[in-house]
Amino acid sequence: IQDEATRMYQPWKEFIFTILCQSSTTMSELMRLERQDVHLNAKTPHISPYTSTIKKKDRKRIIPLPFRVERLKELLQLMDQGQPTVFPRSLVTMTNNGYQWATSESNINRQLNTYLKACGSGQNGFTTSSTRLSFELYLYSIDANPIDILYLLGWTGAHRGNRSLKHDDRYRIESD
């Protein structure tokens, strides 16, 4: 994924994979991500994809990023063309309906899934969509605490069944 010598390599692909593989972030959340939503210098590095638009007051999505933070900083710098979004204008554009992929989302997914197949994961059916579920399944398979899982998935105000994770000091994401 980080081999810059390959023809398929692009910094945005590495950035997306780095986040997808350590979180439950969706492609559409990444597409809407603005630079101001990325907090890699915080005590707990994280992204907050809904800084400007929160559907429900108690449902903030704050996604911790525990791995490869220095590389994410480098990739952000490589992709910086003065745009408000994380990704270059050639990838994400502003429309009347908000941010959109410059080409269709399915084309972006196809490019990323082709990259996964080239890395040898195609035979296992691993795709960009399966990364968020794989991350959650892995956490359950090692018997992680369900509340810890919600925290790692970025649901600081989530409600799942009888479990609820409110803004508890134990799960506070500390800002810059």
Side-chain angles (χ1 to χ4, degrees), residues 3 5 10 36 39 46 50 59 81 96 102 116 141 157 159 167:
D3 185 356
Q10 290 292 323
Q36 69 181 6
H39 308 280
H46 65 281
Y50 297 107
R59 217 172 149 209
Q81 299 171 351
N96 292 336
L116 284 171
S141 75
H159 300 280
H167 301 283

Coordinates of all heavy atoms in Angstrom, one line a residue, residues 3 5 10 36 39 46 50 59 81 96 102 116 141 157 159 167:
D3 N 4.1 1.4 -1.2 CA 5.2 1.3 -2.2 C 5.0 2.3 -3.3 O 4.3 2.1 -4.2 CB 5.3 -0.1 -2.8 CG 6.5 -0.3 -3.7 OD1 7.2 0.7 -3.9 OD2 6.7 -1.4 -4.1
A5 N 6.8 3.2 -5.6 CA 7.4 2.8 -6.9 C 6.4 2.2 -7.8 O 6.6 2.1 -9.0 CB 8.6 1.9 -6.7
Q10 N -0.9 6.0 -5.1 CA -1.3 7.4 -5.0 C -1.3 7.7 -3.5 O -1.8 6.9 -2.7 CB -2.6 7.7 -5.6 CG -2.7 7.6 -7.1 CD -1.9 8.7 -7.7 OE1 -1.9 9.8 -7.3 NE2 -1.2 8.4 -8.8
Q36 N -9.7 20.5 8.8 CA -10.0 20.9 10.1 C -10.6 19.8 11.0 O -10.7 19.9 12.2 CB -11.0 22.1 10.1 CG -12.4 21.8 9.7 CD -13.3 22.9 9.6 OE1 -12.9 24.1 9.9 NE2 -14.6 22.7 9.4
H39 N -7.3 15.6 13.5 CA -6.6 16.1 14.7 C -5.4 15.1 15.0 O -5.5 14.4 16.0 CB -7.6 16.2 15.9 CG -8.8 17.0 15.5 ND1 -8.8 18.4 15.5 CD2 -10.0 16.6 15.1 CE1 -10.0 18.8 15.2 NE2 -10.7 17.7 14.9
H46 N -7.1 11.7 16.2 CA -8.5 11.3 15.8 C -9.0 12.2 14.6 O -8.4 13.2 14.3 CB -9.5 11.4 17.0 CG -9.7 12.8 17.4 ND1 -8.8 13.5 18.3 CD2 -10.7 13.7 17.2 CE1 -9.2 14.7 18.5 NE2 -10.4 14.9 17.9
Y50 N -18.0 14.7 11.4 CA -19.2 15.4 11.5 C -19.1 16.7 12.3 O -20.0 17.1 13.0 CB -20.4 14.6 12.0 CG -20.7 13.4 11.1 CD1 -20.3 12.1 11.6 CD2 -21.2 13.5 9.9 CE1 -20.5 11.0 10.8 CE2 -21.5 12.4 9.1 CZ -21.1 11.2 9.5 OH -21.4 10.1 8.7
R59 N -24.9 12.2 19.2 CA -24.3 11.1 18.4 C -23.1 11.6 17.6 O -23.0 11.6 16.4 CB -25.4 10.6 17.4 CG -25.2 9.2 17.2 CD -26.3 8.6 16.4 NE -25.8 7.5 15.7 CZ -26.2 7.1 14.5 NH1 -27.2 7.7 13.9 NH2 -25.6 6.1 13.9
Q81 N -3.1 21.0 -1.5 CA -3.1 21.9 -2.6 C -3.8 23.2 -2.3 O -4.4 23.9 -3.1 CB -3.7 21.2 -3.9 CG -2.9 20.0 -4.3 CD -3.7 19.2 -5.4 OE1 -4.8 19.5 -5.7 NE2 -3.0 18.3 -5.9
N96 N -23.5 21.6 -5.2 CA -24.6 22.2 -4.5 C -25.1 21.2 -3.4 O -25.8 21.7 -2.5 CB -25.8 22.5 -5.5 CG -25.5 23.6 -6.4 OD1 -24.6 24.4 -6.1 ND2 -26.1 23.6 -7.6
A102 N -15.0 13.3 -7.3 CA -14.9 13.9 -8.7 C -15.4 12.9 -9.7 O -16.0 13.3 -10.7 CB -13.5 14.4 -9.0
L116 N -6.3 -3.6 -3.8 CA -6.4 -4.7 -2.9 C -6.1 -6.1 -3.6 O -5.4 -6.9 -3.1 CB -7.7 -4.8 -2.1 CG -7.9 -3.7 -1.0 CD1 -9.3 -3.8 -0.5 CD2 -6.9 -3.9 0.1
S141 N -13.8 -10.7 18.3 CA -13.1 -12.0 18.3 C -12.1 -12.1 19.4 O -11.8 -13.2 19.9 CB -12.5 -12.4 17.0 OG -11.3 -11.6 16.8
G157 N -21.3 8.8 21.4 CA -22.7 8.9 21.9 C -23.6 7.9 21.3 O -24.8 8.1 21.2
H159 N -25.8 4.4 20.7 CA -26.7 3.5 21.4 C -26.8 2.2 20.6 O -27.2 2.3 19.4 CB -28.1 4.2 21.5 CG -28.0 5.5 22.3 ND1 -28.0 5.5 23.6 CD2 -28.0 6.7 21.8 CE1 -28.0 6.8 24.0 NE2 -28.0 7.5 22.9
H167 N -20.8 10.6 27.1 CA -19.5 11.3 27.1 C -18.9 11.1 28.5 O -18.9 12.0 29.4 CB -19.7 12.8 26.8 CG -20.2 12.9 25.4 ND1 -19.4 12.8 24.3 CD2 -21.5 13.2 25.0 CE1 -20.1 13.0 23.2 NE2 -21.4 13.2 23.6

